Amino acid sequence: MIKLPKRFYDDIVEYGKNGVPEEICGLIGGIVSDDDKEIKKIYFLENIDHSNEHFSMNPAEQFAAVKDMRQNGLSPLGNFHSHPESPSRPSEEDKRLAYDKNASYMILSLMNIDEPVLKSFHIEDGISTEEELVIEEE
């Protein structure tokens, strides 16, 4: 299970809407206990591809985010990106580029911009499985 504070959910949705028509992307940091992941911080990164079909995170921003996580006692938990024109499910490219089997891959669909859909996936060996994502009120 992944626990996402509602304020982070709102921030991701706002960032995604503001990024349309391009995909937005970022990293999530937090803590792991048992099989649960608790997101404590999110990092909005530049999509250096500036594309509506794929993304590449700015390497310098990635490095800075991971450094910040370590300095704050957090672990890298995974990443998020948006699909401005398609459902909240991993594309074939998303599966192919999912190198970390321990990461959570969160995808925000903005197909219907008034009803965004955020889901999280575990991807291993090209197979995606939806993870339980709980958006928590604070």
Side-chain angles (χ1 to χ4, degrees), residues 53-115:
E53 295 181 346
H54 53 88
F55 71 98
S56 295
M57 294 180 188
N58 179 311
E61 291 176 354
Q62 277 184 287
F63 179 77
V66 172
K67 183 178 179 183
D68 182 79
M69 287 181 215
R70 290 185 178 144
Q71 289 175 339
N72 289 290
L74 303 176
S75 299
L77 300 180
N79 65 58
F80 62 88
H81 73 280
S82 66
H83 283 180
E85 302 166 1
S86 59
S88 179
R89 65 174 176 249
S91 66
E92 290 306 311
E93 180 175 291
D94 292 336
K95 292 179 199 176
R96 183 175 54 79
L97 296 174
Y99 295 111
D100 185 351
K101 67 180 182 179
N102 296 313
S104 292
Y105 297 91
M106 297 171 56
I107 301 173
L108 174 68
S109 173
L110 296 167
M111 283 178 55
N112 179 348
I113 201 157
D114 294 325
E115 294 180 26

Side-chain angles (χ1 to χ4, degrees), residues 7-131:
R7 65 187 160 97
F8 292 159
Y9 167 81
D10 292 340
D11 290 345
I12 291 170
V13 168
E14 181 179 345
Y15 189 61
K17 287 181 176 182
N18 289 337
V20 169
E22 297 178 1
E23 289 192 4
I24 55 95
C25 57
L27 295 176
I28 54 175
I31 56 174
V32 179
S33 59
D34 299 321
D35 289 332
D36 293 343
K37 295 177 180 179
E38 190 172 342
I39 298 171
K40 296 291 189 182
K41 195 163 184 182
I42 56 175
Y43 301 84
F44 297 109
L45 306 181
E46 177 191 9
N47 174 0
I48 60 174
D49 293 337
H50 299 286
S51 170
N52 66 337
E53 295 181 346
H54 53 88
F55 71 98
S56 295
M57 294 180 188
N58 179 311
E61 291 176 354
Q62 277 184 287
F63 179 77
V66 172
K67 183 178 179 183
D68 182 79
M69 287 181 215
R70 290 185 178 144
Q71 289 175 339
N72 289 290
L74 303 176
S75 299
L77 300 180
N79 65 58
F80 62 88
H81 73 280
S82 66
H83 283 180
E85 302 166 1
S86 59
S88 179
R89 65 174 176 249
S91 66
E92 290 306 311
E93 180 175 291
D94 292 336
K95 292 179 199 176
R96 183 175 54 79
L97 296 174
Y99 295 111
D100 185 351
K101 67 180 182 179
N102 296 313
S104 292
Y105 297 91
M106 297 171 56
I107 301 173
L108 174 68
S109 173
L110 296 167
M111 283 178 55
N112 179 348
I113 201 157
D114 294 325
E115 294 180 26
V117 177
L118 181 67
K119 294 183 180 180
S120 185
F121 299 89
H122 170 85
I123 304 174
E124 188 171 350
D125 298 325
I127 299 170
S128 66
T129 307
E130 188 172 347
E131 299 176 310

